[in-house]
Each structure stands twice: as C-alpha cells, then as structure tokens.
Amino acid sequence: HCFKHSYGTAEERAIQAIRTLGPSVFNAVISTLLAILVVGFSKSFVFELFFRILCVLCIIGGAHGLWLLPVVLSIVGGDNVQTSKVDVAAP
C-alpha cells in the first residue's frame, strides 16, 4: 500500500516503503520470536516441533517483508512520477 501510493522511481518508492513499514515488520518478527521463545525450552516433541515451525515461518516471513518484496518491487514495480497539473484558463 505504501509502495503503491508513493511517487518517484521504483527504487525510491521501495526505499520509502521500507522506511515507513520496516520498523513495524521488524517489531512484529522480534515480538513473535520472543513470545514463542518459552515454548522452545519445552521437552515435549509437539511443542519443540511447533517452536521450530513457527521460528522458521517468522524468519521466512520477515525476510520476505523486509528484503524480498522491496527488491522485487524495485525491479518490476514501475515508476510513479508525479505530474503537475497545469490550470488552463478558459478563453
């Protein structure tokens, strides 16, 4: 959403999107990992498996949100150059 509504080249728009949404995504990944850290110390196989799956999912999701998606958008996103509208007075 931030990428779509910003102006400039695709690279500038991707950088702006990371500056705007990057800290929130990073915070979500870190807080989720901290929340499931307690489960990692469990001796039960089910909880260990749940911890591993959720850790991998958080790392992959965070990597996609912070690295892969901005890179792909900067390559194929296209430019959105703001055009200035000139008011033409009616004759």
Side-chain angles (χ1 to χ4, degrees):
H1 185 265
C2 183
F3 180 84
K4 181 182 176 187
H5 292 290
S6 59
Y7 294 103
T9 65
E11 186 176 334
E12 292 169 348
R13 293 167 61 203
I15 291 171
Q16 180 62 30
I18 286 293
R19 284 186 182 147
T20 304
L21 297 175
S24 298
V25 173
F26 182 75
N27 187 24
V29 171
I30 294 300
S31 65
T32 303
L33 288 174
L34 287 175
I36 64 168
L37 186 65
V38 181
V39 179
F41 293 109
S42 176
K43 299 296 181 204
S44 171
F45 174 75
V46 175
F47 287 131
E48 286 181 9
L49 185 63
F50 176 74
F51 172 73
R52 290 179 189 168
I53 290 172
L54 205 51
C55 276
V56 169
L57 186 66
C58 284
I59 291 169
I60 290 173
H64 277 84
L66 292 173
W67 178 76
L68 183 67
L69 185 61
V71 169
V72 170
L73 286 174
S74 69
I75 293 171
V76 297
D79 296 341
N80 189 10
V81 180
Q82 185 175 15
T83 57
S84 61
K85 294 183 178 181
V86 178
D87 293 334
V88 178

